[in-house]
Amino acid sequence: GLKRKLLFDSMKQHFECPLSATKEINVAQKFCDDYGIILKLKAANSKTRYFDIAWLSQYPEEEEVLFMGTSLKICDIYINGKPSDHYVSALHAFEQIIDGQFVDNTATKFDSVEQRLLSLMDAVKSTNSHIDDIVNIPPYFASLFEHLVKKMQRQKKESL
């Protein structure tokens, strides 16, 4: 759990420093408040390793694990205890399209992912409305998508 809603540059994050995490969502919930988020992570590649440190911990029931020098994929973001995998899937699809990768439409309900991605694109494209006024899109995901779009635009400018 994180106490703040962070804006990520990618839905895959690389951690060089040690990263402590838990396998238990109810434990993660204790580390964030009403303004925080819980990230559900999974290995971004087959080389990802972690060390189970529950046996070393003062709180073994937290089922704590330690990652270091690894890439992890954000597969869900919980806000106020509720999963948002449909928006996370849309953000992954956006990154795949931008990176020139194939979008896997068999693993999820692609129509839903496509519709959410189009909604996010409309939200960012709409210059007449404030990001918090966008209907049916949680403000955090609209902001996160806008951040990813701006990052892509900066990279495009730098490559010219």
Side-chain angles (χ1 to χ4, degrees):
L2 302 168
K3 290 187 183 279
R4 301 269 187 250
K5 292 179 176 111
L6 304 176
L7 296 178
F8 301 98
D9 282 342
S10 174
M11 297 308 286
K12 288 183 184 173
Q13 295 294 307
H14 187 76
F15 298 92
E16 290 295 331
C17 59
L19 172 69
S20 171
T22 180
K23 298 177 186 178
E24 295 295 320
I25 194 159
N26 59 340
V27 173
Q29 189 68 46
K30 293 178 191 175
F31 288 92
C32 68
D33 52 25
D34 292 339
Y35 302 103
I37 58 175
I38 296 172
L39 299 178
K40 183 176 177 184
L41 305 167
K42 73 176 190 176
N45 59 54
S46 60
K47 295 179 183 180
T48 299
R49 302 285 183 261
Y50 66 89
F51 182 57
D52 185 340
I53 59 173
W55 64 278
L56 295 171
S57 176
Q58 184 175 353
Y59 307 101
E61 68 278 1
E62 290 184 355
E63 295 191 43
E64 188 174 5
V65 294
L66 187 67
F67 295 92
M68 185 154 171
T70 191
S71 293
L72 298 171
K73 181 179 175 182
I74 300 170
C75 53
D76 203 351
I77 299 175
Y78 289 73
I79 299 175
N80 298 324
K82 296 177 184 167
S84 305
D85 58 334
H86 43 282
Y87 287 109
V88 172
S89 296
L91 294 172
H92 278 290
F94 175 72
E95 275 195 319
Q96 288 175 310
I97 291 166
I98 296 305
D99 291 343
Q101 300 172 3
F102 289 103
V103 177
D104 181 11
N105 63 356
T106 58
T108 61
K109 297 177 182 172
F110 187 71
D111 290 340
S112 173
V113 171
E114 184 180 58
Q115 190 60 43
R116 298 225 189 256
L117 180 55
L118 290 172
S119 296
L120 286 167
M121 292 169 74
D122 286 342
V124 171
K125 181 174 70 172
S126 173
T127 56
N128 295 336
S129 63
H130 188 270
I131 201 85
D132 294 335
D133 297 330
I134 299 164
V135 181
N136 297 327
I137 298 176
Y140 173 68
F141 285 99
S143 296
L144 184 55
F145 182 69
E146 185 176 35
H147 180 76
L148 291 172
V149 168
K150 286 179 180 177
K151 177 198 146 214
M152 176 204 62
Q153 290 170 332
R154 281 191 309 271
Q155 287 177 334
K156 186 175 180 179
K157 279 184 182 178
E158 290 171 3
S159 70
L160 296 178

